[in-house]
Amino acid sequence: DIVLTQSPGTLSLSPGERATLSCRASQSVNTNYLTWYQQKRGRAPRVLIYGTSRRATGIPDRFSGSGSGTDFTLTISGLEPEDSAVYYCQQYGSALYTFGQGTNLEIK
Amino acid sequence: QVQLVQSGTEVKRPGASMKISCKASGYIFTTFLIHWLRQAPEQGLEWLGRIDPSNGHTHYSRHFQNRITVTSDTSTSTVYMELSSLSSEDTAIYYCAREIPETTWFDPWGQGVLVTVSS
């Protein structure tokens, strides 16, 4: 199984700052199959970025994704209080879908 | 609008089976895959399996291969997930989610259903 390791575990930033979230895979991931989700407390996840860098419908351009191989990044610029959530990366490979353990983003 | 509405909270005894449902609306049911995922308390997300409602073909995580069954009913646009031989480790929120075939990402998700396994 491809294991995704996200860092940091928790990130505490102020409004207006930039957040950089990392997702590292134990094996190379097809860039078409790397996705980022946002999950707010008590809610289901929602897709932010698919195919490594493509924003899902309705997602503001403050959210951007990049990466290749085993290293992927979600960047959130101009943080807003509503960005407080847990962010997960997800990949598909070897007939299995796996998720990272999440990064908890707190907005001070 | 596209919606996935799941059945309600369940409490099960260890060793029992559970069967939960996911009713789709707002799109052509047979043109998208439906997946099942779960999230244990304060834990991350885990994929269980999927079905193609157009033909009933399923694909399961090998971690659940022996005790999961996913079925679909095109007459009611509903997908069911049955999980057997439950243990306390199966206590989780279970989600269904839609996938455009071969895109490998999930949107939207159902609201989730809490299943508690306890003696």
Side-chain angles (χ1 to χ4, degrees):
Chain A
D1 299 359
I2 296 178
V3 177
L4 300 179
T5 302
Q6 293 186 239
S7 61
T10 300
L11 191 55
S12 183
L13 295 170
S14 299
E17 291 190 306
R18 172 184 296 183
T20 302
L21 286 65
S22 172
C23 175
R24 180 161 291 177
S26 60
Q27 304 171 43
S28 184
V29 173
N30 184 323
T31 56
N32 290 319
Y33 300 154
L34 194 288
T35 304
W36 289 92
Y37 298 88
Q38 176 193 67
Q39 185 177 33
K40 296 186 177 182
R41 182 165 293 277
R43 305 288 298 274
R46 73 159 177 165
V47 62
L48 297 174
I49 301 287
Y50 63 93
T52 296
S53 59
R54 302 180 182 121
R55 275 186 300 277
T57 302
I59 302 303
D61 58 9
R62 303 187 293 105
F63 292 86
S64 62
S66 63
S68 65
T70 60
D71 290 302
F72 297 87
T73 301
L74 174 68
T75 302
I76 312 170
S77 58
L79 284 169
E80 299 183 0
E82 67 200 44
D83 297 332
S84 181
V86 180
Y87 293 82
Y88 293 96
C89 57
Q90 173 244 315
Q91 71 83 40
Y92 172 76
S94 303
L96 190 65
Y97 303 76
T98 58
F99 291 80
Q101 82 280 14
T103 290
N104 184 15
L105 175 61
E106 300 173 346
I107 310 300
K108 298 175 187 174
Chain B
Q1 75 280 21
V2 176
Q3 269 194 308
L4 300 175
V5 178
Q6 299 183 230
S7 48
T9 299
E10 299 208 359
V11 179
K12 295 293 183 181
R13 300 295 188 201
S17 296
M18 62 179 248
K19 187 173 185 177
I20 54 179
S21 67
C22 172
K23 183 173 177 59
S25 62
Y27 71 96
I28 299 173
F29 180 62
T30 53
T31 56
F32 293 82
L33 309 179
I34 295 291
H35 293 253
W36 287 95
L37 306 100
R38 74 181 187 182
Q39 186 169 34
E42 304 302 321
Q43 299 296 311
L45 294 154
E46 183 174 29
W47 177 76
L48 282 70
R50 73 173 190 219
I51 190 166
D52 183 343
S54 69
N55 54 26
H57 290 176
T58 55
H59 174 50
Y60 302 134
S61 166
R62 53 183 168 272
H63 303 299
F64 299 92
Q65 185 75 41
N66 295 327
R67 60 189 190 102
I68 186 174
T69 304
V70 178
T71 56
S72 65
D73 181 345
T74 55
S75 68
T76 59
S77 299
T78 302
V79 173
Y80 300 91
M81 192 276 289
E82 184 169 13
L83 193 64
S84 62
S85 303
L86 294 172
S87 73
S88 59
E89 295 183 350
D90 293 313
T91 293
I93 297 173
Y94 287 77
Y95 294 101
C96 60
R98 190 185 74 162
E99 178 201 346
I100 300 171
E102 300 185 12
T103 60
T104 77
W105 47 275
F106 310 122
D107 177 62
W109 297 52
Q111 83 275 19
V113 56
L114 175 62
V115 176
T116 303
V117 182
S118 174
S119 55

